Amino acid sequence: MATPIRVLILEDRHEDAELMLHGLRRAGFDPVWRRVDTEEDYLARLDSALDLILADYKLPGFDAVRALQRLQERGLDIPFIVVSGTISEEIAVECMKQGAADYLLKDRLARLGPAVAQALEQRRLSTERKEAQKALELSHDTLSRRSGELQDFYHTVSHELKTPLTSAREFVSILLDGIAGPLTDDQQHYLQLIRESCDQLHFYVSDLLDATRLETGKLEVRPVDASMETLVANVVSAMTSAMQAKGIELRREIDPALSSTPLDERRINQVCMNLLSNALKYTPSGGVVTVRVRTDPDDPELIQFSVRDTGRGIAPEHLGRIFDKLYQVRETDTSIEGGMGLGLYIASGIVRLHGGRMWVESSVGGGSIFYFTVPKRWRAPRQHILFVDDDPATQEMVHATLEPVGFEVSVASDGGTALKIVQGRAADLAIVDLCLPGMPSPVLMGELRNTRGDLPLVLYTGYPDSQLMVQAMKFSPLTLLTKPCTPEKLVATVRGMLAERATSIQPDHAPRDAA
Amino acid sequence: MKKILIVEDDRKISLALSLRLKAHGYEVLTAFDAVAGVSMSVKHRPDLVILDISLPAGSGFDVANRINLAMTVGMPMIFITASSNPEFQSKAEQLGAAAFLRKPFNDGELIAAVRQALGEEPQRP
């Protein structure tokens, strides 16, 4: 059965047009055709319903290259095949450059059928690809919008929770301060309890917001030179009465040789308060909590903070996960408050944004020591990009593009290798090819997110496999990088994604020498 | 007696602030939206304006801008917000705010900021 095809023939010789039609019919096409031989007629007949254009190279006052240009100006994507009596290689190259699907010599018209079939197939694929691309971009836009909406939602919730909390706390304070008249001792006591609950609620709302900020890369760290002495003194004075009330001794050991260090004082204070509150929570009466600040024994460029307690310690099975979001050591001992499982997650995130790290040493019954480090000199850490793709040429391109602009790049050909790499060194961003050998890309992305819940992901894809795509798109933050990818686009995508995460990590001072 | 204008749309917070400030011996005026905030500032010439940032009919920043434009002598302003937007603080500073407090605020902090903005001694008389 012949395939119907609408053809425009640009040819001044009627008999040559007939030969072309003959060729088409022999190849199984049923052409509905029109022949034109001037630019004016050609333009008048161009429309998107055409399946094919066959054009002689040279016509009186017109030629195939111009015809191709006109076609592109109209924004039409119609397969265009040049058919010519003689054609030089240069002209052939020029035609192909201008977008011709193929070129043929008139005395070799036997090739016409296969050439047309191929051109039509290519067009079908390109249309399909464009549609898929469009769908992809659309779903990506939707996802970014959703992520923005979620962020706004958290801000609104936080605002809406804090407003009634403010008036509740303020009226209680007014009563407590005797502004509305004298109180009995019991009334005073109960109102104090209400105010403590208000403060606790406020604390939790702030934690929720900080966790969201960390996840969306909006947590700000603004380093300003700070004295370790003052920082620790503030933390200790805030905790002293609670420690005394529980009969715990709070000690501090600060190396007096330490000079001031660039850090976000409010945020590091938050980290210290978190560690001390935990120590208070888990240390029994009569115990000792020690805050220590010194130069890191393994790296003179770092300051090391530690909080040691004489509490119950942490079982080995919990140690690996206590910095995870929402992870809690479930206790049968109900005297220990639950909390939301966000404290250490936020604390370690803040330390990471400072370019330091947090870890713990603990044994059951032997107490715990939480450590964290911050660099003595503020430095934007060299960010580690993980690239997972099994094509060596692409690996090389990505490596050669990102290393010179200041990133550290690790490449892996499959999921297993990728996971081994991040075990050795955490990634700041991972670029994953959609189609991988072995472990499917969505599985790998899930595993990578298990190592770090807010790891920015870039999905690298040329031809979207819909099922894989749907699975992969559930991750956020996620950006699409489409093939073919230029080095400029790659750098812009990586920088954009990382900038979104940490917009304000800017030093507030000039670099200076360490102590 | 020093006059303080509170521009705050949450009636409860506004009342709580009024009670607290009156207890400290100040005369208090209240406005519940941005337009009233501007007109009362111009009409009553308070010694200090306490501004919420998200308000009906404009923002606390709009009010501050209008006051700055209308007044020949600077009028001290304190911003109080429940928003966690990190840019608000620098914006308030650019507008010449005497203080920037986040809700829920601490009473001691608030009174200290008020006294400082009014050029009074830090201690209670």
Side-chain angles (χ1 to χ4, degrees), chain B:
Chain B
M1 203 191 293
K2 295 260 170 84
K3 237 185 316 190
I4 301 177
L5 170 65
I6 299 167
V7 189
E8 162 68 79
D9 62 322
D10 186 286
R11 307 276 168 141
K12 291 176 190 159
I13 294 177
S14 175
L15 174 60
L17 282 169
S18 302
L19 289 172
R20 169 77 57 189
L21 293 170
K22 280 177 187 162
H24 278 82
Y26 300 109
E27 184 187 340
V28 178
L29 302 165
T30 51
F32 301 120
D33 63 58
V35 175
V38 174
S39 64
M40 287 179 76
S41 306
V42 174
K43 197 171 154 199
H44 298 284
R45 309 264 163 160
D47 299 289
L48 170 69
V49 188
I50 296 180
L51 285 163
D52 183 21
I53 292 176
S54 40
L55 288 168
S59 73
F61 296 129
D62 297 332
V63 177
N65 264 324
R66 298 292 291 273
I67 293 175
N68 281 339
L69 286 174
M71 298 292 156
T72 44
V73 186
M75 191 178 278
M77 289 178 275
I78 293 176
F79 286 93
I80 301 186
T81 181
S83 167
S84 43
N85 188 331
E87 280 151 35
F88 280 3
Q89 182 156 7
S90 51
K91 206 163 169 186
E93 279 159 13
Q94 278 165 23
L95 285 164
F100 180 87
L101 302 175
R102 292 194 190 275
K103 293 176 188 170
F105 49 86
N106 172 299
D107 315 300
E109 225 173 47
L110 172 78
I111 294 304
V114 167
R115 298 188 68 86
Q116 198 188 13
L118 290 170
E120 296 170 343
E121 293 294 309
Q123 290 302 311
R124 220 169 141 160

Side-chain angles (χ1 to χ4, degrees), chain A residues 119-137:
Chain A
L120 293 179
E121 176 63 9
Q122 257 172 16
R123 191 207 180 188
R124 192 184 63 76
L125 283 175
S126 116
T127 310
E128 222 169 63
R129 189 185 155 138
K130 271 182 199 152
E131 276 164 10
Q133 185 87 25
K134 215 186 254 172
L136 211 66
E137 277 162 14

Side-chain angles (χ1 to χ4, degrees), chain A residues 271-415:
Chain A
V271 173
C272 294
M273 288 296 285
N274 176 277
L275 295 181
L276 282 174
S277 310
N278 283 343
L280 170 69
K281 203 153 60 171
Y282 294 104
T283 304
S285 182
V288 180
V289 173
T290 312
V291 187
R292 184 178 199 185
V293 188
R294 58 173 176 169
T295 293
D296 188 305
D298 298 324
D299 186 347
E301 291 294 303
L302 298 175
I303 288 188
Q304 185 197 75
F305 289 73
S306 64
V307 174
R308 175 200 291 265
D309 66 49
T310 55
R312 62 179 65 192
I314 304 162
E317 66 263 31
H318 296 306
L319 276 180
R321 295 195 57 199
I322 59 169
F323 298 110
D324 290 358
K325 190 182 174 192
L326 304 182
Y327 190 75
Q328 282 186 316
V329 179
R330 299 278 168 207
E331 297 285 350
T332 44
D333 182 349
T334 48
S335 69
I336 287 169
E337 283 178 51
M340 291 191 295
L342 291 175
L344 285 174
Y345 169 75
I346 296 168
S348 60
I350 290 171
V351 168
R352 199 170 59 233
L353 286 174
H354 276 84
R357 69 184 191 102
M358 183 179 268
W359 71 100
V360 60
E361 285 169 10
S362 185
S363 60
V364 176
S368 307
I369 313 175
F370 280 83
Y371 295 92
F372 72 90
T373 55
V374 290
K376 285 183 178 172
R377 272 183 292 186
W378 180 257
R379 52 177 184 227
R382 198 160 170 242
Q383 285 162 310
H384 181 209
I385 313 291
L386 172 68
F387 181 66
V388 196
D389 190 324
D390 60 329
D391 175 36
T394 316
Q395 286 180 356
E396 182 144 356
M397 184 280 277
V398 170
H399 199 274
T401 304
L402 292 179
E403 287 269 345
V405 295
F407 295 105
E408 186 180 335
V409 181
S410 298
V411 294
S413 300
D414 58 75

Side-chain angles (χ1 to χ4, degrees), chain A residues 155 158-160 162-167 169-171 173-175 177 179 195 198-199 202 209 213 218 220 222, chain B residues 10-13 15-17 19-20 23-24 52 54 81-87 90 103-107 110:
Chain A
H155 276 283
S158 140
H159 185 274
E160 294 309 304
K162 280 180 190 170
T163 300
L165 199 55
T166 301
S167 66
R169 191 190 187 282
E170 193 49 23
F171 281 112
S173 299
I174 283 167
L175 292 174
D177 294 349
I179 292 171
R195 188 157 68 181
C198 286
D199 290 341
H202 175 222
L209 199 67
R213 282 196 184 119
K218 298 276 160 63
E220 302 223 343
R222 295 184 168 168
Chain B
D10 186 286
R11 307 276 168 141
K12 291 176 190 159
I13 294 177
L15 174 60
L17 282 169
L19 289 172
R20 169 77 57 189
H24 278 82
D52 183 21
S54 40
T81 181
S83 167
S84 43
N85 188 331
E87 280 151 35
S90 51
K103 293 176 188 170
F105 49 86
N106 172 299
D107 315 300
L110 172 78

